[in-house]
Amino acid sequence: MAELIRMPKMSDTMTEGVIAEWHKKVGDTVKSGDVLAEVETDKATMDLEAYDEGTLLYIGVEKGQSVPIDGILAVVGKSGEDFKALLDGNGSSNGSAEPKAEAPAEKPTPAPASNGAEQPAPKAPAPAAPAANINASIIRMPKMSDTMTEGTIVAWHKKEGDTVKSGDVLAEVETDKATMDLEAYEEGTLLYIGAKEGTAVAVDDVIAVVGEKGADFQALLQGGDQPAAAAAEPDAPKAEAQPAAAPAETSTGNGHDSRVLASPLAKTIAKEKGVDLAQVQGSGPDGRIVKRDVETFQPAAQPAPAQAAPAPAAKPAAPAPVAQTAPAAQEGGYEDIPLSQMRKTIARRLSESLFTAPHFYLTMEINMDKAMDLRGKVNEVSPVKVSFNDFVLKAAALALKKHPAVNSSWLGDKIRRYSYVNIGVAVAVDEGLLVPVIRNADQKTLSTIAAEVKDLAGKAKDKKLQPKDWEGSTFSISNLGMFGIDEFTAIINPPDSCILAIGSIKQTVKFEGEVAKPTNVMKVTLSCDHRSVDGATGASFLQTFKGLLENPFGMLV
């Protein structure tokens, strides 16, 4: 079954998006997670990922055109599938029913193709009109950052029955980066809340329904075409003929005969638990399988096989481990900490980076004597306190301008080299790590960089960062020197090609002829993606970086 791809709300203030680039063309195969297009929002240019697998059947918006929130961008489905009815009526059964509106008796004809024949006949008269005639709109979980796959409802600011105006804050949503406001872009009454506070919801899954008071929103939640299918109920002979075919249809669990319609999160959980999605009944829109369906799924066929008994027989070995773990629990016990959205994303993205990008590492010692002297003089006149990390950031930015190959990203079929320098600065927070971005760092003074870093670090710790604050880095820096760490290797922050790990400044001894003199040395390690940066390229960058810090007055002119 073909699926519409709509313009998601990628930021809390976004009202429309502009297609900056299409990464797929009509006829291309699409997999879940593939980047379909780049969308320019009011905050940044972000990737639009696919959530369904199949073939890109239709592109409805050309490059450079703007599309309002929830506007149709494309259609993904089976190769050769007829998607015209989907575009005309936002649902295949709706589209096919309209041409036959003159003869009500003919409406049941297309309906037997749906599994809605099991619904009671009395429901048919009221919602017989297509879902387009229902004065209500579904509110879905928007993609609020380029790495977001799901969001957790922290708090609802509206309750069912409340009046909603465009721009009102409906709820607070915790993403992998920050807690953000979810604004309404429809006016009406909040008819339905589909996710309780504390519930994680996959991107594009249903959160709520807003519409005219008294509107039959259940038809929307059921996919919009269910009422039309229910109209086939009076045709008793045909309805009775369906049960024989029903098992074949229900084998997919959600009414689709060739592929399972499920959210990315549901697919991930099912894979981890070994659940066959074809046996799961979906409760989401259009029968989509969502997280709760997989978590509550109980295989109906388990009681049938008599051989299920041997499985418990194999468990006698289990009591032994239980007895062994009891003393450990008595000694100190343990606590299972639920994963936050931030921690899930850190785990996913850094695992992908480490096991996908071939890392190599270059370490160098830098004499920091002159930098330490200059810092004292700078802080005498600077409006804000300048740290050694600010010196590092400025030196890296200037070195990147001289070595554009390091200021790059690996994009699969091409390497993108940036003409601007946006440096991501790793900031530790209670739940993990955030990387706010200093934009055009090569053009800024040390005091400006110091002020921006301080401001962004404060926002990160208070969970007040917005997408514009963390998107668009071309290079990253991670500094653990303030914790006394001599040196370490950092994992590349995708899609950057490199990340620079900064150690502490240590006093050591250098010899000038026969005379031993104290000196201050800092070790740095550059992690490089070998797909886009070679060893000699990384080494040349470090030489330039070293020269700037060892003769820092050059950074001031």
Side-chain angles (χ1 to χ4, degrees), residues 140-157:
R140 299 180 182 274
M141 176 62 73
K143 188 172 185 182
M144 294 174 163
S145 78
D146 54 343
T147 59
M148 176 180 171
T149 58
E150 65 179 11
T152 299
I153 303 294
V154 177
W156 280 102
H157 288 222

Side-chain angles (χ1 to χ4, degrees), residues 11 86 121 169 189 217 219 395 401 448 452 471 501:
S11 77
L86 192 65
V169 175
T189 300
F217 61 86
K401 289 297 288 185
T448 301
E452 287 192 18
E471 293 166 352

Side-chain angles (χ1 to χ4, degrees), residues 315-340:
K315 283 190 175 179
V322 172
Q324 291 174 357
T325 56
Q330 291 174 1
E331 290 174 7
Y334 61 88
E335 180 184 3
D336 291 330
I337 308 297
L339 294 179
S340 65

Side-chain angles (χ1 to χ4, degrees), residues 224-285:
D225 53 356
Q226 297 286 349
E233 189 74 19
D235 193 350
K238 290 185 179 180
E240 290 178 5
Q242 290 299 318
E249 289 187 11
T250 55
S251 66
T252 62
N254 56 358
H256 302 287
D257 54 0
S258 62
R259 64 189 182 89
V260 175
L261 187 63
S263 70
L265 180 60
K267 291 178 181 179
T268 301
I269 296 174
K271 185 176 180 180
E272 292 174 352
K273 292 189 173 184
V275 173
D276 182 4
L277 286 176
Q279 299 179 12
V280 179
Q281 183 66 39
S283 63

Side-chain angles (χ1 to χ4, degrees), residues 427 429 436 452-462 465:
V427 176
V429 295
E452 287 192 18
V453 170
K454 183 178 180 180
D455 178 58
L456 290 171
K459 287 183 178 180
K461 293 181 185 299
D462 294 337
L465 287 177

Side-chain angles (χ1 to χ4, degrees), residues 4-24:
L4 291 173
I5 306 298
R6 298 180 180 272
M7 175 63 73
K9 190 172 185 182
M10 293 174 163
S11 77
D12 54 339
T13 59
M14 176 181 171
T15 58
E16 65 178 15
V18 176
I19 300 298
E21 189 71 53
W22 280 102
H23 287 246
K24 297 285 186 179

